[in-house]
Amino acid sequence: MYGWDEDDKLDILLPMIEGQASEFVFEQLPTEALSDYHELITELTRRYRVIEISRSFVAKLSRRNQKHGENAEDYAAER
């Protein structure tokens, strides 16, 4: 969006990684991953990506009720 190259993206991203992600990135990943933006993103995605299966969507939808004050369009859009 801002015309950043991969080095710029790394310079911005790395200092923003905190908590458990920081421990994962800086203690468990090989140093090569810290100097390659695409490799870093791939590793983070593998580790933290949420995998939703159709069964979990069905379970969520079956527990979802229309909230007080929520209009029908918003409720239907979320379902």
Side-chain angles (χ1 to χ4, degrees):
M1 180 172 165
Y2 294 108
W4 295 344
D5 64 19
E6 290 183 3
D7 289 333
D8 293 333
K9 292 176 187 178
L10 275 173
D11 289 343
I12 299 297
L13 177 60
L14 287 172
M16 298 177 94
I17 299 173
E18 298 178 340
Q20 289 180 343
S22 175
E23 292 172 15
F24 169 67
V25 168
F26 297 112
E27 295 175 14
Q28 296 180 29
L29 290 181
T31 54
E32 297 82 36
L34 301 179
S35 60
D36 183 314
Y37 176 77
H38 286 289
E39 187 173 343
L40 178 60
I41 295 301
T42 299
E43 292 294 340
L44 287 169
T45 301
R46 280 188 193 138
R47 176 71 179 236
Y48 295 103
R49 162 181 76 176
V50 175
I51 299 174
E52 296 282 353
I53 58 173
S54 59
R55 199 172 342 156
S56 67
F57 284 120
V58 170
K60 284 181 183 179
L61 290 175
S62 69
R63 294 188 303 259
R64 174 69 165 89
N65 295 316
Q66 188 172 0
K67 299 171 188 165
H68 180 72
E70 181 178 36
N71 66 39
E73 291 83 15
D74 291 338
Y75 174 68
E78 190 170 323
R79 289 191 62 115

